[in-house]
Amino acid sequence: MNAPVREISYSQAIQEAMAIAMEADERVILMGEDIGVYGGAFQVTGDLVDRFGSDRVMDTPISELGGAGVAVGAAVTGLRPIFEFQFSDFAALAMEQIVNQAAKMRYMLGGAVSVPLVMRFPAGSGTGAAAQHSQSLEAWLGHVPGLKVIQPATPHDVKGMLLAAVADPDPVMIFEHKLLYKMKGPVPEGHYTVPLDKAEVRREGRDVSIVATSIMVHKALEAAEVLAGEGISAEVIDLRSIRPLDRETVIASVMKTSRLICVYEGVKTLGVGAEISAMIAESEAFDYLDAPILRLGGSETPIPYNPELEKAAVPQVPDIIDAARGLARGVR
Amino acid sequence: MSGRAQAMQVEGETSNLPFIYRQYEREQLLDALRKMHLIRRFEEGAEECYMRGLIHGTMHLSIGQEASAMGICMPLVNEDQITSTHRGHGHCIAKGAEVKRMFAEFFGKTTGYCAGRGGSMHIADVSTGNLGANGIVGGGLPIAVGAALTAKRLRTGKVVVCFFGDGANNEGAFHEALNMAAIWKLPVIFVCENNGYGMSTSTARSTAVANVADRAAAYSMPGVIVDGNVLSEVAEASHEAVERARRGDGPTLIECKTYRYRGHSKSDRNRYRTKDEIDDWMTNRDPIRRYEAQLIEFGIATSDELEAIRGSVQQEIDAGIEFAKTSPMPSIDGLADNVYTLEA
């Protein structure tokens, strides 16, 4: 029996997932700055404090390091905290607890404990909030064994992946692009999960594979539509998770299309695209390549304030179209 | 016969005796001494093994600080939890860990508490409530607050003790953790083992207040200073803090003034303190010798009995090292075990 499906926004989908998790398990608590009566900086927690009370929807002081550490300690000892950073940039204040503690505790202790912790990071540019409130830092955390790092791109996925994350015994970091919060999409009612380790082919194609993360999935789909009109058939893969990486899906796609473009908002150098490119270069797909791999990533700058500069700092639809045209020259 | 009863024969009056002699039975008092010896001999044994190349890496010895670890743990029950520090062997033993599995960990063996993945700096024994030593100064402070949050939310009745050194009191994590513990009235006890030096930098040079406990006022909690080398003083402060935490009245900050005889780690050349200073602490303020003198003075044990305790400790140490030596090494195939709970 399939649950009824409605159109709701990405942020509503997150809120619904958190409510379902809290309803089902007394140990699930929410922690973060201004997530109670204020409803969260992006109104993601909304009115949950009215339903579950301030003991379970806990406003923390502005103490990212300490707050993250409290969440780690709570997770190790029996709670299942969902910790919201107000902006993903503030993870810089809490890296000690995320990287040195949460990620390593199970390993350091020889398996004696698990850290069932979920952290949510509102990320990305496009809001005019400039350099300290607009970054895409997922690659930082993707570099750390012990963490799982996901970037759901649709309301459907963010609900299902958040519910999978709450059920997961290990720390799961969820990067949520702020421009996705208002995006609507079909979301089933009730409980369901989406795997934390599987990419999704969003559009099938023959000529070029576009592997994208988060909001770039939507830009890639837009680009693919335009490219189709020009006779270029683009396959769009929503990576969904950067740790672990779904190698099989990406490799299979590149073996089919023989061309690869990686599109991500994080700074291009040493980012997700570098990892995908290297992974393909090391794989059996390498021999299938008919063109160099291209990366479209964020510019080598902080995110600027001016809206035109801000747009120029991250890949846009025309950039993806141009890149695909260049690669596919001679295909048709 | 209980310590209390014996002491009465000597003093004719118990109320003037230090706290532990009024509070604990003879058996518990002697067990505390045994564990203090165990801590010291464990660390001396580990140091010997290190010198002989049997243990690699580094280690941070707490020799001289045994009364602090033991006194704090005396009022705790097995279910209570602790977070510990890089200088954490004493906490681990005082909370109830077995030295043989600690030695095995130092030797990197599968039988070690962390299956050879943690070593000295991450020694833990979750079964006795030790959530782990920590290689990051101040790293355990927020984690302890989180454990206390669990205790309060799930009404487990547990209290959490957070050990840290004087060095950690200048980390942001210290201030954030104390503040949160206070606003949420959590059952956690912050124990600063102030041995006078954060690595080479003295507290006088690093810390703007005279006592770490003075900082408790900023977080509306009691700040208690004790002679960390007097077991009874430490245990009494801990007892009061534990009762307060169990009542739901919130956290306490205890500062144990103590001293480490050895250097910060194995690379220390001791250029920041004088030999006279070290000798003075070792000669005049040794926590084990002071406790033994009291046990004899109050008629709780004879010197022969104390000698027997030392002998049994030495046997346990020797057996522990032998256990570690003969335990199996981890297989290289297991390198990636326990990075995640559910293996891919």
Side-chain angles (χ1 to χ4, degrees), chain A residues 10 14 85 87-92 95 98 118-124 135-143 147-154 158 161 172-178 180-181 213-215 240-243 272:
Chain A
Y10 190 94
I14 297 170
F85 282 89
F87 288 82
S88 67
D89 312 65
F90 305 166
M95 286 301 262
I98 301 170
V118 177
M119 289 183 153
R120 299 182 33 247
F121 301 87
Q135 297 169 86
S136 298
L137 301 174
E138 54 277 354
W140 282 10
L141 298 186
H143 193 67
L147 302 179
K148 297 181 178 181
V149 183
I150 61 172
Q151 295 183 273
T154 66
V158 80
M161 293 180 93
V172 181
M173 311 286 116
I174 308 182
F175 282 80
E176 305 161 358
H177 200 291
K178 285 166 292 205
L180 293 177
Y181 281 139
T213 58
S214 190
I215 196 168
R240 297 206 289 203
S241 167
I242 65 168
R243 179 176 280 274
V272 171

Side-chain angles (χ1 to χ4, degrees), chain B residues 202-221:
Chain B
S202 68
T203 48
R205 289 172 59 216
S206 69
T207 303
V209 288
N211 306 292
V212 174
D214 296 347
R215 291 191 158 158
Y219 303 106
S220 301
M221 67 178 78

Side-chain angles (χ1 to χ4, degrees), chain B residues 189-244:
Chain B
I189 298 149
F190 299 101
V191 178
C192 179
E193 298 183 303
N194 184 349
N195 61 25
Y197 297 91
M199 208 156 155
S200 71
T201 308
S202 68
T203 48
R205 289 172 59 216
S206 69
T207 303
V209 288
N211 306 292
V212 174
D214 296 347
R215 291 191 158 158
Y219 303 106
S220 301
M221 67 178 78
V224 184
I225 299 171
V226 296
D227 184 334
N229 284 16
V230 176
L231 182 72
S232 185
E233 272 198 38
V234 178
E236 183 167 15
S238 178
H239 180 83
E240 278 177 25
V242 167
E243 294 223 310
R244 177 179 149 83

